[in-house]
Amino acid sequence: MVNVFSGEIFVTNVAIAGEWIAGVGKEYVDGKEVLDLSGLYLLPGLINGHLHLESSLLAPVEYARLALAHGTTTVILDPLDIANVLGLPGIQALIDSSKDLPLDFFFMAPSCVPTTPLETAGGFIPSTDVEKLLKNKRVLGLAEMMNCPGVLRQDPEVLKKIQAAQKMGKAVDGHAPLLSGKELNAYVAAGNESDHECTRREEAEEKIRLGMWLMIRQGSAAKNLRDLLPAVTPQSKNRSLFVLDDLEVRDLVGKGEIDHLLRQAVAQGLDPVVAVQMATLNPSNRFGLKDRGAIAPGRKADIAAVSDLVEFRVNLTVKDGKVVAREGKAYPLFKPLFDPRVFQTVKMKPLNESAFHLRLGGEKAWVIGILPDPVLTRKLSLPVKKDDKGM
């Protein structure tokens, strides 16, 4: 067993009563059912600390089926994308469709809907709706506060959302790419406690020094693990956790969930036990989920059994004391996919070739330059070929 409290690895037995761990020790030898997992390593169920489920294009039941096979037993969602379209009813539909599954879905209340005033998707989440969401026990706090300028200029509506979470003793996730110095200090002072937008070691270290949680992101779109892992030291390891942010279904099927980050982090030199802590105990501490994140008495019986601490291939997953996946396959799950009201929400005019033509007044056009791995972009002005019609 990997003990995330002491950092030890030792041979032991784990006693489970219902959905809880009753005891850990060699003296626990009898039970109504005994699983012989000799030769395997027991890890706490993995926790994904930040995910936009919508990027996977999967309903919660299907995401749960695939994630359980990879040892993930808890996921914390930021339903930003469905909120951008449907507002509060969209979030509620996601909350309802994810309950009573053998994978725990928790939520953060979206803080910036719409993301900018220029968006026209239709959703709107004011501070009054944030307060309503925060009253739900499955809503753990305020999701990534992307409106850094609003925080720094003390926008009343922005501050109301942060203060609503603080008054309820709930977490506030930040989103502050490249923010530094006095502006970062002000952002942290306003109540923002974490960041998954770091792209450089120096940036991560500055934020850790100011008390922020470092969320190391390695998803389908943004990949920051290689650049940020050096910021995880014996002194700072307890303030760092792994997140995916956006995960496409092809990556979930082909590479895995948080277990994929464990493999990559260890391959880049991180101590395996520290890697496990960053995927279990640290996110449970960050979000106040004191009933999970470790294999210990009184904790949820959420366990992933892996063959080794290099590849982290999951042989068996236990959720709430029940075996829910074996050998990379989860047991069948049955649940209606979604409230029908969330369908028929993509509304656009028919596309044809002319829809992609640009009318140009000069010889160049502004272009968004994509950088590999991080989600940072460059502002480019590039020459464009025109046709006979000036397009």
Side-chain angles (χ1 to χ4, degrees), residues 196-201 204 214-219 221-232 240-244 257-270 274-275 278 372-375:
H196 65 277
E197 292 291 337
C198 293
T199 56
R200 297 179 297 109
R201 174 181 179 174
L214 172 63
M215 293 179 164
I216 299 182
R217 170 177 57 185
Q218 188 78 355
K223 298 175 174 63
N224 307 119
L225 181 67
R226 181 186 66 246
D227 295 324
L228 299 184
L229 206 54
V232 180
S240 306
L241 58 143
F242 293 128
V243 302
L244 290 167
E257 222 255 5
I258 289 293
D259 59 320
H260 178 54
L261 274 73
L262 294 178
R263 284 189 285 277
Q264 288 190 304
V266 170
Q268 294 179 36
L270 186 65
V274 174
M278 291 172 60
D373 292 344
V375 291

Side-chain angles (χ1 to χ4, degrees), residues 247-263:
L247 185 65
E248 296 177 7
V249 65
R250 62 180 177 182
D251 287 333
L252 175 56
V253 172
K255 298 178 180 178
E257 222 255 5
I258 289 293
D259 59 320
H260 178 54
L261 274 73
L262 294 178
R263 284 189 285 277

Side-chain angles (χ1 to χ4, degrees), residues 21-22 38 63-64 83 87 96 113 118 121 130 175 186 201 214 251 254 262 269 295-296 316 333 340 342 345 370:
I21 295 172
S38 301
Y63 193 95
D96 293 342
V113 177
L118 302 177
V130 167
H175 176 117
R201 174 181 179 174
L214 172 63
D251 287 333
L262 294 178
I295 300 175
L316 179 140
L333 304 178
V342 309
T345 56
I370 303 297

Side-chain angles (χ1 to χ4, degrees), residues 151-152 159 162-163 166 179 182-193 210 212:
V151 173
L152 297 178
L159 296 183
I162 296 175
Q163 290 163 359
Q166 291 176 318
L179 203 64
K182 289 184 177 180
E183 290 186 335
L184 177 60
N185 276 266
Y187 185 76
V188 174
N192 297 285
E193 304 166 338
L210 296 180
M212 299 188 85

Side-chain angles (χ1 to χ4, degrees), residues 15-37:
I16 294 174
E19 62 187 72
W20 303 97
I21 295 172
V24 176
K26 292 185 177 180
E27 59 269 33
Y28 294 99
V29 294
D30 298 317
K32 294 180 180 179
E33 179 183 1
V34 177
L35 289 177
D36 184 359
L37 300 179

